[in-house]
Amino acid sequence: MVNFICFLLWNLALLFAVRVGCWLIGYARPDLTLNGAHIFIGLMATALAFDTALTFLVFAEAGGAWQAHNPGETYAERAFAYALAALMALLIAWHARRQASRKAHNGPPGAQEIETSRYSKSTLPM
């Protein structure tokens, strides 16, 4: 359980770094839009693929001192930590999109909108 918590904390720290990096890039270059959740999920998928390859292809054949550590025992915990961190990234992105859409409408759900200009297609909530 301690290994799982450590793996999860490292993954969440990486999620925080990716989100801050995407925010800084978006602040520096407004024309460039990055989806931090998709970038993070790509990183987690790549990390899981490398982790699987190292665990079952490299360390499975290694003898000597590596046999005492046996990374295969903690592989399930690491894989679950990767998956849980990716799920948390998706939930954070979903929540952020939901908050942004609420701010954009500034009205109660189901409020009517009136068209203010036919040319600009702008509307106001009532």
Side-chain angles (χ1 to χ4, degrees), residues 44-118:
M44 288 294 102
T46 304
L48 182 61
F50 280 128
D51 192 355
T52 303
L54 284 173
T55 300
F56 296 111
L57 297 176
V58 176
F59 292 123
E61 300 297 324
W66 290 111
Q67 295 295 59
H69 298 290
N70 196 4
E73 290 178 357
T74 59
Y75 174 76
E77 294 175 353
R78 291 191 309 269
F80 186 62
Y82 290 137
L84 189 60
L87 180 66
M88 290 176 79
L90 287 174
L91 288 174
I92 290 170
W94 174 75
H95 182 68
R97 277 193 310 269
R98 190 171 173 201
Q99 291 295 331
S101 70
R102 281 186 183 170
K103 274 186 184 178
H105 290 330
N106 287 337
Q112 293 182 349
E113 292 184 350
I114 58 170
E115 184 178 1
T116 58
S117 171
R118 283 185 283 171

